[in-house]
PDB file of all heavy atoms in Angstrom:
ATOM      1  N   PHE A 130     109.277 122.128 108.991  1.00 95.00           N
ATOM      2  CA  PHE A 130     108.237 121.098 109.044  1.00 95.00           C
ATOM      3  C   PHE A 130     108.851 119.700 108.909  1.00 95.00           C
ATOM      4  O   PHE A 130     108.515 118.774 109.663  1.00 95.00           O
ATOM      5  CB  PHE A 130     107.228 121.346 107.921  1.00 95.00           C
ATOM      6  CG  PHE A 130     106.391 120.156 107.535  1.00 95.00           C
ATOM      7  CD1 PHE A 130     105.313 119.768 108.318  1.00 95.00           C
ATOM      8  CD2 PHE A 130     106.680 119.423 106.389  1.00 95.00           C
ATOM      9  CE1 PHE A 130     104.535 118.669 107.966  1.00 95.00           C
ATOM     10  CE2 PHE A 130     105.917 118.329 106.026  1.00 95.00           C
ATOM     11  CZ  PHE A 130     104.840 117.948 106.827  1.00 95.00           C
ATOM     12  N   ILE A 131     109.777 119.532 107.963  1.00 97.00           N
ATOM     13  CA  ILE A 131     110.410 118.234 107.730  1.00 97.00           C
ATOM     14  C   ILE A 131     111.221 117.810 108.954  1.00 97.00           C
ATOM     15  O   ILE A 131     111.169 116.645 109.380  1.00 97.00           O
ATOM     16  CB  ILE A 131     111.294 118.294 106.463  1.00 97.00           C
ATOM     17  CG1 ILE A 131     110.421 118.455 105.219  1.00 97.00           C
ATOM     18  CG2 ILE A 131     112.163 117.037 106.345  1.00 97.00           C
ATOM     19  CD1 ILE A 131     111.202 118.814 103.962  1.00 97.00           C
ATOM     20  N   SER A 132     111.952 118.733 109.563  1.00 97.00           N
ATOM     21  CA  SER A 132     112.748 118.404 110.748  1.00 97.00           C
ATOM     22  C   SER A 132     111.861 118.015 111.924  1.00 97.00           C
ATOM     23  O   SER A 132     112.180 117.082 112.678  1.00 97.00           O
ATOM     24  CB  SER A 132     113.652 119.584 111.137  1.00 97.00           C
ATOM     25  OG  SER A 132     114.685 119.751 110.196  1.00 97.00           O
ATOM     26  N   ARG A 133     110.728 118.723 112.104  1.00 95.00           N
ATOM     27  CA  ARG A 133     109.790 118.342 113.175  1.00 95.00           C
ATOM     28  C   ARG A 133     109.228 116.957 112.913  1.00 95.00           C
ATOM     29  O   ARG A 133     109.150 116.119 113.820  1.00 95.00           O
ATOM     30  CB  ARG A 133     108.645 119.352 113.262  1.00 95.00           C
ATOM     31  CG  ARG A 133     109.023 120.705 113.817  1.00 95.00           C
ATOM     32  CD  ARG A 133     107.771 121.481 114.219  1.00 95.00           C
ATOM     33  NE  ARG A 133     106.796 121.606 113.144  1.00 95.00           N
ATOM     34  CZ  ARG A 133     106.777 122.579 112.246  1.00 95.00           C
ATOM     35  NH1 ARG A 133     107.701 123.527 112.296  1.00 95.00           N
ATOM     36  NH2 ARG A 133     105.840 122.630 111.326  1.00 95.00           N
ATOM     37  N   ARG A 134     108.821 116.709 111.669  1.00 95.00           N
ATOM     38  CA  ARG A 134     108.260 115.395 111.304  1.00 95.00           C
ATOM     39  C   ARG A 134     109.253 114.275 111.548  1.00 95.00           C
ATOM     40  O   ARG A 134     108.886 113.194 112.030  1.00 95.00           O
ATOM     41  CB  ARG A 134     107.870 115.425 109.827  1.00 95.00           C
ATOM     42  CG  ARG A 134     107.266 114.147 109.293  1.00 95.00           C
ATOM     43  CD  ARG A 134     107.350 114.099 107.782  1.00 95.00           C
ATOM     44  NE  ARG A 134     108.735 113.968 107.307  1.00 95.00           N
ATOM     45  CZ  ARG A 134     109.106 114.059 106.031  1.00 95.00           C
ATOM     46  NH1 ARG A 134     108.196 114.324 105.104  1.00 95.00           N
ATOM     47  NH2 ARG A 134     110.376 113.911 105.691  1.00 95.00           N
ATOM     48  N   ASP A 135     110.523 114.526 111.241  1.00 96.00           N
ATOM     49  CA  ASP A 135     111.544 113.478 111.317  1.00 96.00           C
ATOM     50  C   ASP A 135     112.327 113.505 112.616  1.00 96.00           C
ATOM     51  O   ASP A 135     113.453 112.991 112.686  1.00 96.00           O
ATOM     52  CB  ASP A 135     112.501 113.615 110.121  1.00 96.00           C
ATOM     53  CG  ASP A 135     111.826 113.300 108.797  1.00 96.00           C
ATOM     54  OD1 ASP A 135     110.777 112.633 108.820  1.00 96.00           O
ATOM     55  OD2 ASP A 135     112.337 113.719 107.746  1.00 96.00           O
ATOM     56  N   ARG A 136     111.752 114.102 113.653  1.00 95.00           N
ATOM     57  CA  ARG A 136     112.324 114.087 115.002  1.00 95.00           C
ATOM     58  C   ARG A 136     113.734 114.666 115.039  1.00 95.00           C
ATOM     59  O   ARG A 136     114.662 114.087 115.623  1.00 95.00           O
ATOM     60  CB  ARG A 136     112.316 112.664 115.566  1.00 95.00           C
ATOM     61  CG  ARG A 136     110.916 112.075 115.683  1.00 95.00           C
ATOM     62  CD  ARG A 136     110.920 110.699 116.300  1.00 95.00           C
ATOM     63  NE  ARG A 136     109.564 110.163 116.395  1.00 95.00           N
ATOM     64  CZ  ARG A 136     109.275 108.949 116.892  1.00 95.00           C
ATOM     65  NH1 ARG A 136     110.250 108.166 117.324  1.00 95.00           N
ATOM     66  NH2 ARG A 136     108.022 108.535 116.935  1.00 95.00           N
ATOM     67  N   GLY A 137     113.897 115.802 114.382  1.00 96.00           N
ATOM     68  CA  GLY A 137     115.147 116.523 114.482  1.00 96.00           C
ATOM     69  C   GLY A 137     116.163 116.251 113.400  1.00 96.00           C
ATOM     70  O   GLY A 137     117.251 116.850 113.411  1.00 96.00           O
ATOM     71  N   VAL A 138     115.856 115.388 112.451  1.00 97.00           N
ATOM     72  CA  VAL A 138     116.789 115.156 111.348  1.00 97.00           C
ATOM     73  C   VAL A 138     116.955 116.466 110.575  1.00 97.00           C
ATOM     74  O   VAL A 138     115.962 117.085 110.195  1.00 97.00           O
ATOM     75  CB  VAL A 138     116.273 114.036 110.413  1.00 97.00           C
ATOM     76  CG1 VAL A 138     117.207 113.870 109.209  1.00 97.00           C
ATOM     77  CG2 VAL A 138     116.142 112.725 111.172  1.00 97.00           C
ATOM     78  N   PRO A 139     118.186 116.913 110.356  1.00 96.00           N
ATOM     79  CA  PRO A 139     118.393 118.214 109.695  1.00 96.00           C
ATOM     80  C   PRO A 139     117.797 118.251 108.287  1.00 96.00           C
ATOM     81  O   PRO A 139     117.792 117.250 107.569  1.00 96.00           O
ATOM     82  CB  PRO A 139     119.922 118.342 109.638  1.00 96.00           C
ATOM     83  CG  PRO A 139     120.436 117.416 110.686  1.00 96.00           C
ATOM     84  CD  PRO A 139     119.465 116.273 110.741  1.00 96.00           C
ATOM     85  N   SER A 140     117.288 119.416 107.928  1.00 97.00           N
ATOM     86  CA  SER A 140     116.762 119.652 106.588  1.00 97.00           C
ATOM     87  C   SER A 140     117.215 121.025 106.135  1.00 97.00           C
ATOM     88  O   SER A 140     117.068 122.005 106.869  1.00 97.00           O
ATOM     89  CB  SER A 140     115.232 119.568 106.576  1.00 97.00           C
ATOM     90  OG  SER A 140     114.712 119.952 105.317  1.00 97.00           O
ATOM     91  N   SER A 141     117.782 121.104 104.946  1.00 96.00           N
ATOM     92  CA  SER A 141     118.290 122.370 104.434  1.00 96.00           C
ATOM     93  C   SER A 141     117.324 122.960 103.411  1.00 96.00           C
ATOM     94  O   SER A 141     116.930 122.278 102.459  1.00 96.00           O
ATOM     95  CB  SER A 141     119.661 122.165 103.783  1.00 96.00           C
ATOM     96  OG  SER A 141     120.083 123.345 103.129  1.00 96.00           O
ATOM     97  N   PRO A 142     116.944 124.234 103.575  1.00 96.00           N
ATOM     98  CA  PRO A 142     116.049 124.868 102.594  1.00 96.00           C
ATOM     99  C   PRO A 142     116.595 124.822 101.178  1.00 96.00           C
ATOM    100  O   PRO A 142     115.827 124.781 100.211  1.00 96.00           O
ATOM    101  CB  PRO A 142     115.926 126.307 103.103  1.00 96.00           C
ATOM    102  CG  PRO A 142     116.265 126.239 104.553  1.00 96.00           C
ATOM    103  CD  PRO A 142     117.277 125.150 104.686  1.00 96.00           C
ATOM    104  N   GLU A 143     117.932 124.839 101.035  1.00 95.00           N
ATOM    105  CA  GLU A 143     118.542 124.833  99.703  1.00 95.00           C
ATOM    106  C   GLU A 143     118.273 123.540  98.941  1.00 95.00           C
ATOM    107  O   GLU A 143     118.419 123.494  97.708  1.00 95.00           O
ATOM    108  CB  GLU A 143     120.055 125.052  99.804  1.00 95.00           C
ATOM    109  CG  GLU A 143     120.467 126.448 100.228  1.00 95.00           C
ATOM    110  CD  GLU A 143     120.234 126.716 101.706  1.00 95.00           C
ATOM    111  OE1 GLU A 143     120.176 125.727 102.488  1.00 95.00           O
ATOM    112  OE2 GLU A 143     120.094 127.892 102.087  1.00 95.00           O
ATOM    113  N   ASN A 144     117.892 122.487  99.653  1.00 96.00           N
ATOM    114  CA  ASN A 144     117.618 121.204  99.010  1.00 96.00           C
ATOM    115  C   ASN A 144     116.141 121.004  98.694  1.00 96.00           C
ATOM    116  O   ASN A 144     115.743 119.933  98.234  1.00 96.00           O
ATOM    117  CB  ASN A 144     118.108 120.044  99.891  1.00 96.00           C
ATOM    118  CG  ASN A 144     119.611 120.025 100.025  1.00 96.00           C
ATOM    119  OD1 ASN A 144     120.317 120.454  99.120  1.00 96.00           O
ATOM    120  ND2 ASN A 144     120.099 119.549 101.160  1.00 96.00           N
ATOM    121  N   ILE A 145     115.326 122.024  98.961  1.00 96.00           N
ATOM    122  CA  ILE A 145     113.879 121.926  98.765  1.00 96.00           C
ATOM    123  C   ILE A 145     113.470 122.775  97.563  1.00 96.00           C
ATOM    124  O   ILE A 145     113.791 123.973  97.492  1.00 96.00           O
ATOM    125  CB  ILE A 145     113.130 122.399 100.029  1.00 96.00           C
ATOM    126  CG1 ILE A 145     113.463 121.468 101.209  1.00 96.00           C
ATOM    127  CG2 ILE A 145     111.621 122.434  99.776  1.00 96.00           C
ATOM    128  CD1 ILE A 145     112.946 121.975 102.545  1.00 96.00           C
ATOM    129  N   PHE A 146     112.767 122.161  96.634  1.00 95.00           N
ATOM    130  CA  PHE A 146     112.281 122.859  95.445  1.00 95.00           C
ATOM    131  C   PHE A 146     110.751 122.765  95.432  1.00 95.00           C
ATOM    132  O   PHE A 146     110.195 121.658  95.469  1.00 95.00           O
ATOM    133  CB  PHE A 146     112.853 122.233  94.170  1.00 95.00           C
ATOM    134  CG  PHE A 146     114.309 122.506  93.949  1.00 95.00           C
ATOM    135  CD1 PHE A 146     115.276 121.907  94.741  1.00 95.00           C
ATOM    136  CD2 PHE A 146     114.727 123.389  92.951  1.00 95.00           C
ATOM    137  CE1 PHE A 146     116.629 122.155  94.555  1.00 95.00           C
ATOM    138  CE2 PHE A 146     116.072 123.649  92.752  1.00 95.00           C
ATOM    139  CZ  PHE A 146     117.029 123.030  93.559  1.00 95.00           C
ATOM    140  N   ILE A 147     110.105 123.909  95.403  1.00 93.00           N
ATOM    141  CA  ILE A 147     108.642 123.937  95.367  1.00 93.00           C
ATOM    142  C   ILE A 147     108.200 123.753  93.921  1.00 93.00           C
ATOM    143  O   ILE A 147     108.738 124.370  93.000  1.00 93.00           O
ATOM    144  CB  ILE A 147     108.116 125.263  95.946  1.00 93.00           C
ATOM    145  CG1 ILE A 147     108.526 125.375  97.423  1.00 93.00           C
ATOM    146  CG2 ILE A 147     106.603 125.358  95.812  1.00 93.00           C
ATOM    147  CD1 ILE A 147     108.159 126.692  98.079  1.00 93.00           C
ATOM    148  N   THR A 148     107.215 122.873  93.726  1.00 90.00           N
ATOM    149  CA  THR A 148     106.776 122.510  92.383  1.00 90.00           C
ATOM    150  C   THR A 148     105.257 122.618  92.284  1.00 90.00           C
ATOM    151  O   THR A 148     104.565 122.892  93.268  1.00 90.00           O
ATOM    152  CB  THR A 148     107.184 121.061  92.043  1.00 90.00           C
ATOM    153  OG1 THR A 148     106.309 120.151  92.732  1.00 90.00           O
ATOM    154  CG2 THR A 148     108.608 120.773  92.473  1.00 90.00           C
ATOM    155  N   SER A 149     104.765 122.359  91.101  1.00 85.00           N
ATOM    156  CA  SER A 149     103.306 122.335  90.894  1.00 85.00           C
ATOM    157  C   SER A 149     102.719 120.991  91.288  1.00 85.00           C
ATOM    158  O   SER A 149     101.558 120.716  91.003  1.00 85.00           O
ATOM    159  CB  SER A 149     102.983 122.624  89.427  1.00 85.00           C
ATOM    160  OG  SER A 149     103.539 121.621  88.599  1.00 85.00           O
TER     161      SER A 149
END
Side-chain angles (χ1 to χ4, degrees):
F130 160 78
I131 292 168
S132 290
R133 289 196 305 272
R134 180 199 68 188
D135 292 340
R136 299 183 180 179
V138 176
S140 173
S141 172
E143 290 74 23
N144 294 330
I145 297 171
F146 288 71
I147 297 175
T148 76
S149 62

